Amino acid sequence: MTDTFAKDVLSGLTAEKKYLSSKYFYDDNGSRIFQEIMNMPEYYLTDSEFEILSMQSKQIIDALKFSEPFNIIELGAGDGFKTFKLLEYLVNQNIDFKYVPIDISQEAIDILTNRLKQRLPSLNIRPKVGDYFEILKVNKESNYPSLLLFLGSNIGNYKQERAVELLELFNENMKNGDKLLIGMDLKKNPIIIHNAYYDKHGITKRFNLNLLLRINRELDADFKIDDFDFYCHYNPDTGEVKSYIVSLRNQKVTIKKLNKTFDFGYNELIWTELSKKYDLLEIKQLANMANFKLNNNFLDCKHLFADSLWEK
Ligand code: AVI
């Protein structure tokens, strides 16, 4: 990981417009800060999706039109509890299914598995640690239909072409008739989005600046965190939140592992993250671009967020 990390940092900081990928936000500390973000009242995404999965479990499961038994495979399950209500509904209805949470973090999977075993002892759970696609390949050989879950608006962190590529890869690893339930954040009053990302508590700022601390630690660099700030901006025309780290003065930073010193100008930006918001037409178009058919959109009562059900 460190090698690709080093390479990506090098290409990002030598580019004409500097950038660092948000996929590197999630070291142990970054993952903890992300939990804090999800607990902020302003970060409506978590509560909205939780509402959909708790209040519309029956509608979602009925819409699958699956025969039993079936598989539920959650991509990037984390240690979160998003799907608990959906799983609880299935267990209470005595529906025959297997739950396969997949995550890259062993620790996250252990926490999730222990919690679920305590709260839903009869749940048939087969956790897997590792790369989505290695594990998904096995799905093609299953005799049973599968529902893939890709929740939390994770797709919004990919640029359009990369998002389509990722979804096509999911598609290739699915059987005809398998379904994907994908969480997508909706376009809405820009002020709501602004408050969720440019939060007044400064948690999202810490989340971004933690990436510089990670570079200091893992690549032996000397970023002075107080000399950098955070800025983000939502563009309602494109539906894109773009987040940046801002250099507060002319400064040099040495990254020893790269044998290189980088110049940062006064007010120079480093682009860190894209968080794309969609309307219902764009959701349908994205589904079609990746060779899916859109079956249903499940929205929360305030229409802030959608869990969209796609069929291969
Ligand atoms: C993980 N991802 C969907 C989050 C998002 O909303 O784009 C990450 C995040 N960035 C700032 N706040 C939350």
Side-chain angles (χ1 to χ4, degrees):
M1 181 54 135
T2 305
D3 263 6
T4 20
F5 181 42
K7 251 192 253 157
D8 290 350
V9 169
L10 179 66
S11 20
L13 295 185
T14 45
E16 194 180 318
K17 285 194 164 188
K18 294 188 174 65
Y19 63 88
L20 291 167
S21 167
S22 62
K23 75 174 176 206
Y24 293 115
F25 281 170
Y26 303 89
D27 62 355
D28 288 345
N29 197 34
S31 303
R32 276 191 290 268
I33 305 174
F34 184 51
Q35 292 293 330
E36 283 183 59
I37 290 180
M38 290 194 292
N39 289 332
M40 299 190 300
E42 292 85 358
Y43 193 72
Y44 58 85
L45 290 82
T46 316
D47 289 345
S48 307
E49 189 166 49
F50 189 75
E51 186 214 291
I52 297 169
L53 295 175
S54 349
M55 307 297 279
Q56 301 181 66
S57 316
K58 181 177 173 3
Q59 286 85 340
I60 295 171
I61 299 303
D62 288 352
L64 298 177
K65 303 198 180 83
F66 277 174
S67 57
E68 295 174 38
F70 57 85
N71 311 306
I72 296 190
I73 304 174
E74 183 166 4
L75 306 164
D79 62 0
F81 228 35
K82 299 190 267 286
T83 23
F84 178 75
K85 286 283 173 191
L86 190 71
L87 300 172
E88 184 185 54
Y89 168 79
L90 289 161
V91 168
N92 288 342
Q93 299 295 312
N94 284 315
I95 293 175
D96 187 4
F97 76 107
K98 183 170 75 182
Y99 174 54
V100 185
I102 306 178
D103 202 273
I104 198 86
S105 156
Q106 178 75 55
E107 188 188 305
I109 283 290
D110 289 346
I111 295 173
L112 178 67
T113 310
N114 289 335
R115 279 197 202 146
L116 284 173
K117 279 192 173 150
Q118 268 175 19
R119 294 188 53 184
L120 294 174
S122 63
L123 176 70
N124 180 359
I125 173 168
R126 303 285 162 82
K128 303 255 190 285
V129 175
D131 180 55
Y132 297 159
F133 297 106
E134 285 311 309
I135 298 166
L136 264 185
K137 275 182 199 152
V138 183
N139 175 54
K140 281 217 122 166
E141 278 120 54
S142 169
N143 295 321
Y144 305 123
S146 298
L147 167 66
L148 267 57
L149 302 176
F150 192 55
L151 303 174
S153 190
N154 287 333
I155 195 68
N157 295 131
Y158 294 83
K159 286 188 203 158
Q160 166 94 351
E161 321 81 74
R162 295 283 300 115
V164 173
E165 273 169 34
L166 180 72
L167 294 167
E168 279 173 345
L169 272 173
F170 289 171
N171 189 290
E172 284 162 21
N173 287 288
M174 291 165 71
K175 308 177 292 296
N176 283 335
D178 279 358
K179 311 252 166 128
L180 169 68
L181 187 69
I182 178 165
M184 304 183 87
D185 196 15
L186 297 174
K187 288 182 174 165
K188 58 183 67 66
N189 184 333
I191 295 167
I192 297 179
I193 298 178
H194 175 91
N195 292 341
Y197 286 86
Y198 212 172
D199 72 274
K200 61 173 188 243
H201 318 282
I203 302 176
T204 314
K205 171 176 167 169
R206 256 199 292 132
F207 189 48
N208 276 256
L209 294 183
N210 177 60
L211 184 48
L212 302 185
L213 292 174
R214 181 175 183 179
I215 299 175
N216 279 354
R217 195 178 54 248
E218 292 184 23
L219 304 179
D220 202 357
D222 59 0
F223 278 103
K224 291 192 198 70
I225 299 306
D226 291 346
D227 289 339
F228 291 88
D229 201 353
F230 165 70
Y231 174 70
C232 78
H233 171 254
Y234 174 61
N235 178 344
D237 293 327
T238 60
E240 292 179 339
V241 176
K242 286 191 169 181
S243 302
Y244 304 89
I245 291 171
V246 188
S247 170
L248 292 178
R249 56 186 189 83
N250 274 316
Q251 54 188 317
K252 288 188 189 298
V253 173
T254 300
I255 305 184
K256 284 202 184 140
K257 275 231 170 103
L258 298 176
N259 274 322
K260 222 174 147 55
T261 297
F262 298 86
D263 287 311
F264 294 86
Y266 177 51
N267 291 335
E268 185 173 356
L269 301 177
I270 310 169
W271 179 33
T272 51
E273 187 174 50
L274 167 70
S275 299
K276 162 89 176 131
K277 313 301 165 197
Y278 301 85
D279 60 33
L280 295 179
L281 178 63
E282 288 172 306
I283 293 181
K284 188 169 188 305
Q285 286 167 342
L286 189 61
N288 296 154
M289 274 188 264
N291 307 316
F292 286 97
K293 179 172 160 272
L294 191 150
N295 284 355
N296 308 71
N297 284 319
F298 299 94
L299 270 56
D300 63 298
C301 65
K302 292 185 190 153
H303 291 195
L304 300 177
F305 197 91
D307 277 324
S308 189
L309 186 65
W310 299 0
E311 177 174 349
K312 163 151 175 165

